[in-house]
């Protein structure tokens, strides 16, 4: 496994590791590079430390079987494409500290039916939930920006509550 004392996981570090099934990132790690675990198709579970300050774009993209992951409370913005094409992802808890969801963050997460958006969220990036399995979503009052195609192609989405702050 990954050793305590490790401070950074580099760009593309485990890209396309087809036999990797679970990852526990040590608490000493503060940065995970772009696409570090992209296309790890057997990856089922990821444990991230709370002190993780930086996560690169598309870090778990195309991890087709990823079902379980925690998002550290230290993460203020969910990076672009973080869970892009994570078709098996059923549940995710977005920390109360998060203020923005990036472009393509949950794009094509077909198994993701519900997500609780934190009260302090102000921005939802373009295509953030495009083609996801969301059935219902409550947009918090603090949200002032929802970019294009944020919920495009969500064919199961039958209930959406918009805040009065949207103009």
């Amino acid at each position: 496994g990954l050793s305590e004392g490790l401070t950074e996981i580099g760009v593309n570090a485990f890209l396309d590791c087809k036999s990797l099934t679970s990852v526990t990132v040590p608490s000493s790690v503060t940065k995970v590079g772009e696409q570090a675990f992209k296309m790890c198709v057997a990856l089922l579970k990821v444990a991230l430390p709370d002190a993780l300050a930086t996560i690169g774009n598309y870090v778990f993209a195309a991890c087709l079987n990823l079902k379980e992951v925690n998002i550290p409370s230290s993460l203020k913005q969910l990076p672009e494409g973080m869970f892009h094409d994570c078709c098996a992802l059923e549940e995710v808890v977005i920390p109360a500290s998060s203020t923005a969801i990036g472009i393509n963050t949950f794009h094509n997460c077909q198994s993701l039916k519900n997500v609780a958006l934190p009260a302090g969220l102000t921005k939802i990036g373009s295509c953030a939930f495009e083609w996801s399995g969301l059935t219902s979503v409550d947009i918090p009052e603090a949200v002032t920006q929802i970019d294009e195609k944020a919920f495009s192609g969500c064919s199961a989405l039958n209930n959406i509550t918009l805040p009065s702050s949207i103009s």
Side-chain angles (χ1 to χ4, degrees):
L2 299 171
S3 301
E4 194 63 46
L6 182 70
T7 58
E8 183 175 333
I9 296 173
V11 173
N12 298 334
F14 297 96
L15 176 70
D16 204 21
C17 284
K18 296 198 182 328
S19 60
L20 188 63
T21 58
S22 75
V23 173
T24 299
V25 177
S27 60
S28 55
V29 172
T30 58
K31 181 178 182 184
V32 177
E34 288 191 13
Q35 303 184 151
F37 297 98
K38 185 178 180 181
M39 297 189 315
C40 293
V41 294
L43 189 60
L44 300 172
K45 181 179 180 179
V46 176
L48 299 171
D50 266 342
L52 192 59
T54 307
I55 296 180
N57 294 340
Y58 294 89
V59 67
F60 299 112
C63 290
L64 304 178
N65 292 298
L66 182 64
K67 285 186 188 278
E68 193 176 330
V69 65
N70 65 300
I71 300 173
S73 57
S74 56
L75 211 58
K76 304 295 180 230
Q77 298 188 1
L78 303 193
E80 181 176 333
M82 186 174 188
F83 300 109
H84 189 279
D85 288 336
C86 290
C87 304
L89 188 65
E90 295 174 356
E91 186 179 346
V92 67
V93 176
I94 299 173
S97 57
S98 295
T99 58
I101 297 173
I103 298 166
N104 288 323
T105 299
F106 297 101
H107 181 275
N108 204 31
C109 290
Q110 299 163 356
S111 299
L112 187 64
K113 307 292 183 210
N114 297 296
V115 65
L117 301 177
L121 190 70
T122 59
K123 179 184 177 186
I124 299 173
S126 62
C127 307
F129 293 96
E130 186 176 35
W131 301 108
S132 72
L134 288 181
T135 58
S136 176
V137 66
D138 290 330
I139 310 291
E141 281 296 324
V143 172
T144 56
Q145 183 177 344
I146 299 174
D147 290 343
E148 68 276 1
K149 298 171 83 176
F151 297 95
S152 174
C154 294
S155 58
L157 186 59
N158 57 33
N159 184 27
I160 188 163
T161 306
L162 294 172
S164 57
S165 56
I166 297 292
S167 53

